[in-house]
C-alpha cells in the first residue's frame, strides 16, 4: 500500500517526470472540455428548446466530469503526506472548486441555479495547473526571473500611475462635477483609468475646456503605461540572456552562446557545465 501511494504521488504531483506532466496536461484538458460543454449548454438552452434526451446528455456529462474531479481530489488527499496542508493550499482549493458545482446544485438548488453556469465556467482556473509544467521551459524561466528582478521598478512605476489616477480623478470631479457624469470620486477615478489605458468607452466625457485638457494629458501619459514597463522588462531579459550565455561558457576555450540543451562545446568539444534551467 505504501508503494502504491508513493507511485501515485509521483504521478499526481511530480511534474519532473513524463507521466506526471502527462497527467497534469490530461487534467487541464478535461477541465477545458468541461468549460466548453458549459458554454455549449448555456447557448443551446437559450437559443433552442432542448428535448429531455438532450438535457440528459448534458446532465450525464456534468456527472461524469464531477466524478472524475472528485476521484482525483480524493486521490490527491490520500497520497499527500499531510492531507490538511494540501486541502488548504491554493491548488487544493482550486481542485475542490472544480468538483463542487453539482453537489451545491443538489444540496442548495435555490442558491446554485442563479450561479451554476458561472461556477462551472470557473473550472477554467484549473488550467493554471498546466502553468506549473512551464517551469521546465528555459524561456519561461528567463521571463519569470526578469519579472522578479524588475519587480521593484514595476511596483514603483504602477504606484506612481495609481497616484496619478487618483489626482486626475479628483481634478475631473472638481472641474466637471455631477452635471457631466462625474457623480462620485470613484466614478472620476474609473474615467481616469479608462482614459489612461486609451480604452475610452465614451460613457463619461468631459464637457469643459479644462476637463478636456486633463483628458489630453492622461491620454499622453497612457502611452508610457505600455512603453515604460516594456522597456524595463526588455532590459532585464537582455541581462538575463547575457548571464545565461556566460553561465554556459566552455571552461576550456571560453566560448559562449551555447544552447541550453547542449552538452558539449561546439568549438573544442569540451564538456559544458550543466544548465540550471
Amino acid at each position: 500500500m505504501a508503494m502504491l501511494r508513493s507511485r501515485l504521488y509521483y504521478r499526481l504531483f511530480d511534474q519532473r517526470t513524463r507521466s506526471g506532466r502527462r497527467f497534469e496536461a490530461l487534467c487541464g484538458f478535461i477541465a477545458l472540455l468541461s468549460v466548453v460543454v458549459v458554454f455549449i449548454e448555456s447557448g443551446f438552452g437559450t437559443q433552442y428548446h432542448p428535448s429531455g434526451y438532450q438535457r440528459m446528455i448534458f446532465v450525464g456529462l456534468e456527472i461524469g466530469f464531477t466524478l472524475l474531479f472528485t476521484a482525483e481530489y480524493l486521490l490527491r488527499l490520500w497520497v499527500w503526506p499531510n492531507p490538511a496542508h494540501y486541502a488548504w493550499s491554493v491548488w487544493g482549493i482550486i481542485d475542490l472548486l472544480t468538483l463542487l458545482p453539482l453537489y451545491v446544485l443538489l444540496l442548495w438548488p435555490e442558491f446554485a441555479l442563479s450561479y451554476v453556469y458561472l461556477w462551472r465556467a470557473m473550472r477554467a482556473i484549473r488550467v493554471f495547473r498546466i502553468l506549473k509544467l512551464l517551469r521546465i521551459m528555459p524561456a519561461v524561466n528567463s521571463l519569470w526571473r526578469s519579472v522578479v528582478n524588475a519587480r521593484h521598478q514595476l511596483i514603483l512605476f504602477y504606484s506612481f500611475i495609481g497616484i496619478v489616477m487618483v489626482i486626475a480623478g479628483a481634478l475631473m470631479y472638481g472641474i466637471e462635477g455631477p452635471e457631466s457624469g462625474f457623480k462620485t470620486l470613484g466614478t472620476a477615478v474609473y474615467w481616469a483609468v479608462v482614459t489612461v489605458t486609451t480604452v475610452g468607452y465614451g460613457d463619461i466625457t468631459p464637457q469643459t475646456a479644462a476637463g478636456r485638457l486633463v483628458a489630453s494629458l492622461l491620454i499622453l501619459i497612457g502611452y508610457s503605461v505600455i512603453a515604460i514597463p516594456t522597456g524595463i522588462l526588455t532590459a532585464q531579459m537582455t541581462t538575463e540572456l547575457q548571464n545565461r550565455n556566460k553561465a554556459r561558457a566552455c571552461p576550456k576555450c571560453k566560448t559562449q552562446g551555447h544552447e541550453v540543451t547542449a552538452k558539449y562545446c561546439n568549438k573544442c568539444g569540451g564538456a559544458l557545465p550543466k544548465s540550471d534551467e
Side-chain angles (χ1 to χ4, degrees):
M1 188 63 68
M3 183 177 295
L4 176 62
R5 289 184 64 185
S6 177
R7 295 177 65 178
L8 286 175
Y9 174 84
Y10 285 107
R11 287 183 178 273
L12 292 173
F13 291 102
D14 191 359
Q15 285 79 48
R16 293 173 299 179
T17 62
R18 180 179 298 180
S19 59
R21 294 194 295 268
R22 287 179 176 177
F23 184 80
E24 288 292 355
L26 176 63
C27 292
F29 174 76
I30 294 174
L32 273 182
L33 186 61
S34 68
V35 174
V36 171
V37 171
V38 171
F39 277 92
I40 294 175
E41 182 181 356
S42 62
F44 193 76
T46 54
Q47 297 184 11
Y48 305 99
H49 297 284
S51 63
Y53 174 74
Q54 292 170 334
R55 289 183 181 277
M56 289 300 298
I57 292 177
F58 288 114
V59 171
L61 288 173
E62 178 60 22
I63 292 174
F65 289 132
T66 301
L67 292 177
L68 285 175
F69 291 135
T70 303
E72 185 218 354
Y73 181 73
L74 294 177
L75 275 176
R76 289 183 183 274
L77 286 177
W78 182 56
V79 302
W80 191 264
N82 187 354
H85 181 270
Y86 167 74
W88 290 104
S89 65
V90 175
W91 297 115
I93 294 173
I94 290 176
D95 291 341
L96 180 62
L97 291 177
T98 58
L99 60 93
L100 280 181
L102 182 61
Y103 298 120
V104 175
L105 182 62
L106 294 175
L107 296 175
W108 299 285
E110 309 85 12
F111 168 77
L113 281 175
S114 302
Y115 305 99
V116 62
Y117 287 124
L118 172 63
W119 201 338
R120 288 165 62 187
M122 292 297 288
R123 284 177 178 167
I125 300 176
R126 178 62 182 272
V127 183
F128 278 115
R129 270 192 172 276
I130 301 179
L131 297 181
K132 293 195 298 182
L133 305 181
L134 300 180
R135 294 176 183 172
I136 64 174
M137 298 175 61
V140 176
N141 282 330
S142 298
L143 177 60
W144 176 249
R145 280 198 296 267
S146 300
V147 173
V148 171
N149 293 334
R151 65 187 184 278
H152 298 297
Q153 297 96 314
L154 293 175
I155 291 173
L156 179 62
F157 173 74
Y158 283 112
S159 298
F160 170 76
I161 292 297
I163 294 172
V164 171
M165 296 299 97
V166 174
I167 295 175
L171 281 174
M172 293 301 292
Y173 180 69
I175 294 172
E176 297 290 338
E179 305 82 29
S180 300
F182 297 85
K183 299 180 180 179
T184 64
L185 183 60
T187 303
V189 173
Y190 154 78
W191 170 86
V193 172
V194 171
T195 303
V196 82
T197 55
T198 66
V199 175
Y201 291 120
D203 52 344
I204 306 174
T205 56
Q207 303 299 323
T208 65
R212 290 171 181 170
L213 176 62
V214 174
S216 300
L217 292 175
L218 284 180
I219 292 173
L220 293 177
I221 292 174
Y223 290 103
S224 67
V225 174
I226 300 174
I228 293 180
T230 302
I232 293 173
L233 285 177
T234 301
Q236 289 293 338
M237 291 186 67
T238 301
T239 303
E240 176 64 29
L241 180 61
Q242 292 174 352
N243 293 336
R244 191 175 67 178
N245 288 338
K246 291 179 181 179
R248 296 289 287 162
C250 177
K252 292 184 178 180
C253 64
K254 308 301 180 183
T255 302
Q256 300 180 0
H258 296 93
E259 295 292 335
V260 176
T261 56
K263 296 182 179 179
Y264 302 99
C265 177
N266 54 19
K267 185 176 181 180
C268 68
L272 294 173
K274 291 184 178 181
S275 173
D276 60 351
E277 305 292 347

